[in-house]
């Protein structure tokens, strides 16, 4: 009788011992409606919360690595170019300003990451009354050294004077991730063009390239996390499959959306649509 009574306890212990960080998907299966069943259900709930916490931690580490990698590549490319030969003083100054800009950007990103456990509350507080900026031009300008190193032409199309309300750092992340995708998948000799236009109460930010393109069957999935379209896009300088997912999530946070159009070997166009900022509210008039 004692053996039969303790058998479910031994089973719970065996399963619990087999659950580790590498596989938190397992659950304790005890089909009883007594104290042991309630204990198993409580442990399953705890394991589920641990699994969710580990998944968030892995996502955080992957996002942090992705977001810091490109600014470091920009600094490396810019310093390599400027040290190739003696240059005029204003060229050195421009390069140092670009490096300082990327360092500031990394500092802002690290500041955001250091508050990761509170990130959701911070976003909700910032977005409704966030800063009003025009970051696409900065994003394009900050990638000229990478484009030059790869032999690409980086140019600006129409740049309407639009204003959106949001988090300046997040918006810059959005545009940089789209632009970095174009830089990665456009062969030497190609071209990348950015533009900002107004349309139906929205700011439309477009980034087009003459790169390798994307097959039509992959387009519905390219904004999914860790999705990479095909072998051509994963060889060599292939990315992690995070950039477009991060970009589209930031667009959604700002009430916007992302669109793409591509054909194999004929390039890709990404469009980010963001609601335009409305006029500032008039101050309240006190009652007499």
């Amino acid at each position: 009788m004692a053996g039969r009574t303790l058998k479910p306890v031994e089973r719970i212990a065996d399963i619990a011992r087999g659950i580790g960080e590498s596989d938190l998907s397992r659950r304790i299966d005890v089909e009883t409606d007594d104290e042991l069943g309630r204990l198993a259900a409580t442990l399953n709930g705890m394991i589920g919360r641990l699994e969710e916490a580990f998944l968030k931690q892995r996502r955080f580490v992957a996002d942090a690595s992705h977001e810091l990698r490109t600014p470091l590549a920009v600094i490396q490319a810019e310093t390599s170019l400027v040290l190739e030969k003696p240059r005029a003083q204003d060229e050195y100054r421009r390069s140092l300003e670009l490096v300082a800009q990327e360092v500031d950007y990394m500092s802002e990103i690290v500041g955001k990451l250091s508050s990761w456990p509170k990130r959701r509350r911070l976003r909700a507080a910032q977005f409704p009354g966030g800063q009003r900026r025009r970051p696409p031009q900065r994003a394009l300008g900050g990638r000229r050294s990478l484009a030059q190193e790869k032999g690409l032409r980086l140019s600006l199309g129409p740049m309407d004077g639009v204003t959106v309300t949001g988090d300046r750092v997040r918006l810059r992340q959005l545009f940089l991730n789209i632009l970095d995708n174009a830089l990665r998948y456009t062969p030497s000799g190609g071209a990348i063009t950015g533009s900002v236009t107004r349309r139906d109460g929205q700011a439309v930010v477009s980034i087009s390239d003459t790169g390798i393109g994307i097959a039509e069957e992959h387009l519905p999935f390219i904004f999914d996390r860790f999705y990479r379209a095909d072998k051509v896009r994963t060889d060599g300088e292939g990315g992690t499959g995070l950039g477009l997912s991060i970009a589209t999530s930031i667009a959604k946070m700002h009430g916007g959306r992302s669109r793409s159009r591509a054909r194999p070997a004929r390039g890709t166009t990404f469009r980010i649509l963001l609601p335009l900022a409305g006029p500032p509210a008039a101050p309240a008039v006190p009652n007499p």
Side-chain angles (χ1 to χ4, degrees):
M1 184 180 296
R4 287 195 300 271
T5 302
L6 294 175
K7 189 173 182 180
V9 178
E10 293 175 358
R11 184 181 179 188
I12 290 173
D14 289 340
I15 296 175
R17 279 192 292 268
I19 297 174
E21 177 186 345
S22 59
D23 182 15
L24 288 168
S25 61
R26 296 182 61 190
R27 296 294 183 267
I28 299 169
D29 182 19
V30 177
E31 298 178 357
T32 59
D33 192 21
D34 53 13
E35 288 81 359
L36 289 176
R38 290 192 289 274
L39 173 63
T42 301
L43 291 173
N44 284 337
M46 181 188 68
I47 295 167
R49 291 190 294 273
L50 286 172
E51 181 182 22
E52 183 179 0
F54 274 108
L55 289 174
K56 287 181 178 178
Q57 184 185 50
R58 293 191 186 104
R59 177 171 184 164
F60 161 73
V61 172
D63 288 355
S65 173
H66 181 274
E67 292 304 310
L68 293 175
R69 180 175 60 181
T70 300
L72 289 172
V74 170
I75 292 173
Q76 183 181 24
E78 184 65 25
T79 53
S80 297
L81 286 171
V82 81
L83 292 174
E84 282 181 352
K85 61 182 180 180
R87 299 179 184 273
Q89 183 175 350
D90 61 337
E91 291 184 89
Y92 286 120
R93 181 178 181 83
R94 185 195 64 80
S95 293
L96 289 174
E97 287 174 348
L98 177 59
V99 170
Q101 176 182 315
E102 294 299 326
V103 170
D104 288 343
Y105 175 60
M106 286 192 293
S107 297
E108 290 174 324
I109 291 294
V110 170
K112 296 278 184 182
L113 296 176
S114 65
S115 61
W116 172 65
K118 302 177 183 178
R119 187 167 50 175
R120 229 175 250 281
R121 291 199 297 271
L122 286 173
R123 284 176 178 166
Q126 288 174 344
F127 288 172
Q131 301 176 11
R132 295 182 176 186
R133 306 280 178 167
R134 296 174 184 173
Q137 296 95 323
R138 295 183 182 180
L140 288 165
R143 292 299 178 264
R144 291 193 183 279
S145 56
L146 286 179
Q148 183 178 349
E149 185 180 57
K150 197 173 178 181
L152 302 174
R153 299 187 307 279
L154 187 59
S155 61
L156 296 175
M159 300 298 286
D160 291 352
V162 300
T163 303
V164 299
T165 300
D167 185 310
R168 177 175 58 85
V169 178
R170 297 297 183 190
L171 286 172
R172 190 177 177 209
Q173 280 182 273
L174 189 165
F175 302 128
L176 286 178
N177 275 303
I178 299 293
L179 180 57
D180 290 341
N181 188 80
L183 288 167
R184 180 173 293 114
Y185 296 116
T186 303
S188 179
I192 299 170
T193 304
S195 66
V196 181
T197 56
R198 289 172 176 264
R199 185 185 303 165
D200 300 328
Q202 294 180 312
V204 182
V205 181
S206 300
I207 296 179
S208 302
D209 64 63
T210 59
I212 63 176
I214 306 170
E216 185 176 356
E217 62 267 23
H218 295 295
L219 287 175
F221 311 105
I222 58 174
F223 294 107
D224 293 348
R225 193 170 176 82
F226 295 115
Y227 186 83
R228 290 182 287 185
D230 52 42
K231 188 174 186 298
V232 174
R233 296 179 70 89
T234 57
D235 286 344
E237 298 184 6
T240 60
L242 283 172
L244 297 180
S245 172
I246 292 172
T248 196
S249 67
I250 295 173
K252 289 178 180 178
M253 289 172 192
H254 287 75
R257 60 190 191 275
S258 52
R259 295 289 182 266
S260 61
R261 187 181 65 205
R263 293 179 65 183
R266 294 194 179 184
T268 305
T269 297
F270 287 102
R271 289 188 175 91
I272 303 298
L273 291 79
L274 299 169
L276 291 171
V285 178
N287 292 323

